[in-house]
Amino acid sequence: MTQFLQATVAGLSLASIYALLALGFVIIFKSTQVLSFAHPALMIFGAYFVSYFAVTVGINFWLALAIGIFLTALLGAVIERVTLRPLVGKPLFSLAILTIGLDIAIRVVVDDLIGVNLRGVGDPWGFNSIRMGNVVIETRVIAMFVAAVVVAVALLAFFKYSRVGLAMRATAADQEVALAQGINVHQIFALAWILGGALAAIAGMFAASGAAGLSQSNWIVALKALPAIVVGGLDSVHGAIVGALIIGLAEGYSATYQAQYLPWLGSNFSQVVPYLVMLIVLLIKPYGLFGTEEVERV
């Protein structure tokens, strides 16, 4: 039982990061119909600047985090305004490919800034942990789980009760009708990228906190958030949360039990599990668990 609970804690920690990233993916897709492949770059961009201001400059961690979130949100707005808005109305496939190019270009610059050595982000949790019975829980895991829950609840309330959130939902449902209702669709597009960038920065900070550290390979974490949104449904905020839980727990359990029961699958098989789960779900529900069947895939 202790092993199972420890695997559950590991799975929930992964799910928290995937949820933050998946929510950003979904917000951008719902509002703009563009599947952003630039999220890995946004994630390490935010994490780097948190590290730079908290560790290199030496300012308070929370202020550094706020600056990192602001700069990443600003980068998201610039990406939308400079590269994507001029292409509104063009094939969605072209826009998706463009985000791949942006991801590579930004990561080349950020990788050079990060360097070859592992960097810390100056988080206050460090290597601290608590013990509940025989289960050891890192403090940073508690922090990232709480942050993911707070962000998810805040976003759900934002989309349900705020005027801007309702405008984003209207834009996602039908952009022409939204324009007819007087909604500034371009502002909605920009806001979606701002929110997506901010969430990516938070996820990047958590992925690099504690013993994990920030390196040039951290962007791979964002790739495993893609199966989460596909499993949950590309246009579903609820689905992003459920998908992240499924993918995170599946990876956590496979990392714990696969070597014990299925050693012939080789080491690090858990890294493949998110994509296997995605494949199985797609074979059963091609639009994801909560996705809308009218979604146009790119």
Side-chain angles (χ1 to χ4, degrees):
M1 179 56 75
T2 299
Q3 189 180 32
F4 174 78
L5 293 175
Q6 199 69 62
T8 302
V9 170
L12 288 176
S13 69
L14 293 171
S16 301
I17 296 175
Y18 296 160
L20 290 169
L21 290 164
L23 286 168
F25 274 115
V26 168
I27 289 171
I28 292 174
F29 183 83
K30 276 178 71 72
S31 301
T32 68
Q33 298 298 301
V34 174
L35 183 56
S36 168
F37 291 100
H39 255 59
L42 292 174
M43 189 188 83
I44 65 167
F45 179 90
Y48 169 75
F49 278 102
V50 174
S51 171
Y52 174 77
F53 285 106
V55 178
T56 306
V57 179
I59 66 175
N60 178 272
F61 166 76
W62 298 107
L63 180 57
L65 177 60
I67 295 174
I69 292 172
F70 171 77
L71 291 176
T72 314
L74 182 62
L75 177 62
V78 170
I79 288 174
E80 190 281 329
R81 183 63 185 88
V82 176
T83 65
L84 295 177
R85 191 176 299 182
L87 299 179
V88 170
K90 304 298 181 185
L92 295 176
F93 176 77
S94 301
L95 300 180
I97 295 299
L98 174 63
T99 62
I100 294 177
L102 290 169
D103 174 65
I104 295 172
I106 295 169
R107 280 197 291 110
V108 166
V109 176
V110 178
D111 284 352
D112 187 53
L113 294 172
I114 292 174
V116 296
N117 296 321
L118 198 65
R119 297 177 62 101
V121 291
D123 59 286
W125 309 292
F127 300 97
N128 298 329
S129 62
I130 63 172
R131 181 177 289 275
M132 298 181 67
N134 293 324
V135 180
V136 177
I137 305 174
E138 292 181 63
T139 310
R140 79 182 189 103
V141 172
I142 298 173
M144 66 176 66
F145 182 74
V146 171
V149 170
V150 169
V151 167
V153 171
L155 283 176
L156 290 173
F158 171 76
F159 285 118
K160 188 171 184 178
Y161 298 111
S162 73
R163 290 176 62 86
V164 177
L166 291 173
M168 293 184 76
R169 289 173 58 190
T171 304
D174 193 316
Q175 292 181 9
E176 292 184 359
V177 173
L179 280 168
Q181 295 294 319
I183 296 173
N184 189 326
V185 174
H186 290 311
Q187 287 185 359
I188 297 299
F189 289 173
L191 179 60
W193 276 90
I194 288 171
L195 288 174
L199 292 174
I202 298 172
M205 181 276 293
F206 278 125
S209 63
L214 174 63
S215 70
Q216 297 180 2
S217 62
N218 279 45
W219 66 277
I220 296 174
V221 175
L223 289 185
K224 287 191 286 185
L226 278 172
I229 62 169
V230 174
V231 167
L234 288 174
D235 61 341
S236 172
V237 174
H238 298 82
I241 300 168
V242 174
L245 279 172
I246 292 173
I247 294 298
L249 289 173
E251 187 177 347
Y253 291 136
S254 63
T256 302
Y257 293 108
Q258 177 260 318
Q260 184 177 352
Y261 295 105
L262 300 169
W264 49 272
L265 289 174
S267 59
N268 291 325
F269 182 76
S270 62
Q271 302 299 310
V272 184
V273 167
Y275 304 100
L276 288 179
V277 173
M278 179 182 71
L279 177 62
I280 293 170
V281 171
L282 285 179
L283 290 174
I284 301 171
K285 291 183 71 70
Y287 295 97
L289 298 176
F290 299 94
T292 306
E293 294 192 0
E294 288 78 12
V295 171
E296 182 180 354
R297 294 184 179 277
V298 295

